[in-house]
Amino acid sequence: MKPLRLAVFASGRGSNLEALFTAIDEGRLTAEIVLVMSNNPDAGALTLARERGVRACHLSENDFTTPEAFDTRLLEILGESGGELIALAGYLKKIRPPILRAFKHRMVNIHPALLPAFGGKGMYGKRVHEAVLEYGCKVSGVTVHLVDEEYDTGPPILQRCVPVEEGDTPESLAARVLEVEHRIYAEAVQLFAEDRIEVDGRRVRIKGA
Ligand code: GRF
């Protein structure tokens, strides 16, 4: 099987990016990470990419006169990288239509809760787990989904539950959820590498499942 050329967008520490690198090393993911892009020059994800000899690209909208100019440059960089799938891994910026069109059904995101609960604008990091605990939920989980024009609203590809335990704090719950994120993201991307994803409206079917 030909390795899937993967572009990863990340704004922060990059533990999901690291998990994808590890999955590739361990032969669980048939992919090559060809580009890591971040809006944040200090993102740990960029450091990780550089350490691996992968193109690490800091691109900020603030450096462009218009959003269109930013999107054009981003598409150019994606084109140069030959990326076939974009994986958002803690990328905090909204993706605009030109990029969505160019990567229709080929852009995924990971969210640390069971969507559509506890998603949307501003729902990231510790806030997600705080909200889950405040609500009194018995389960939380992880969702990997296709990306559309809103935050966290695209059709789910894989979802996995993580039980909430008595005495959980946002930090303890986040840590258990993150362990699952690190496994499930590589699994979801592997489905693309194996060409097993079929999209029918909001239904994502996994061929051969
Ligand atoms: C993860 O919890 C992911 O689900 C969310 O942002 C966080 C990124 O963490 N979208 P990391 O940078 O991959 O460590």
Side-chain angles (χ1 to χ4, degrees):
M1 202 193 318
K2 201 167 113 290
L4 176 74
R5 294 177 69 83
L6 184 63
V8 179
F9 290 12
S11 300
R13 67 190 156 182
S15 73
N16 275 287
L17 170 66
E18 191 168 23
L20 291 169
F21 274 126
T22 305
I24 293 169
D25 292 345
E26 293 178 358
R28 286 180 283 119
L29 176 57
T30 319
E32 183 192 349
I33 298 177
V34 292
L35 171 70
V36 173
M37 206 289 282
S38 184
N39 58 310
N40 169 13
D42 302 320
L46 290 178
T47 310
L48 275 172
R50 288 189 195 107
E51 283 168 5
R52 294 265 186 167
V54 169
R55 181 172 182 191
C57 178
H58 164 235
L59 207 62
S60 164
E61 293 210 24
N62 303 337
D63 300 333
F64 291 82
T65 45
T66 61
E68 291 75 20
F70 172 86
D71 286 345
T72 302
R73 180 65 191 129
L74 181 51
L75 278 175
E76 235 169 55
I77 293 169
L78 283 162
E80 287 161 13
S81 75
E84 298 167 294
L85 180 79
I86 299 176
L88 308 184
Y91 187 65
L92 299 177
K93 297 280 174 187
K94 211 181 225 178
I95 307 289
R96 274 186 299 271
I99 318 288
L100 287 167
R101 275 196 297 273
F103 283 83
K104 188 170 161 64
H105 299 164
R106 292 189 295 128
M107 196 185 315
V108 294
N109 181 43
I110 186 157
H111 185 76
L114 293 174
L115 292 172
F118 308 110
K121 192 169 166 49
M123 267 297 184
Y124 61 88
K126 201 175 152 187
R127 285 186 226 169
V128 177
H129 309 290
E130 278 169 354
V132 166
L133 292 177
E134 268 163 33
Y135 198 87
C137 289
K138 302 297 184 190
V139 286
S140 188
V142 179
T143 303
V144 179
H145 62 93
L146 289 170
V147 176
D148 64 11
E149 43 301 312
E150 294 305 325
Y151 287 109
D152 302 326
T153 55
I157 301 165
L158 291 180
Q159 293 191 294
R160 207 118 324 145
C161 293
V162 174
V164 173
E165 287 171 9
E166 196 55 45
D168 255 339
T169 60
E171 291 75 18
S172 64
L173 179 58
R176 283 205 316 288
V177 167
L178 193 63
E179 268 178 45
V180 176
E181 290 185 47
H182 291 166
R183 286 200 307 272
I184 195 183
Y185 215 5
E187 277 177 43
V189 174
Q190 180 64 9
L191 293 172
F192 284 88
E194 293 174 3
D195 197 20
R196 290 174 61 199
I197 296 288
E198 215 169 61
V199 186
D200 175 12
R202 282 204 62 86
R203 289 272 139 70
V204 176
R205 296 209 177 79
I206 299 169
K207 292 185 245 173

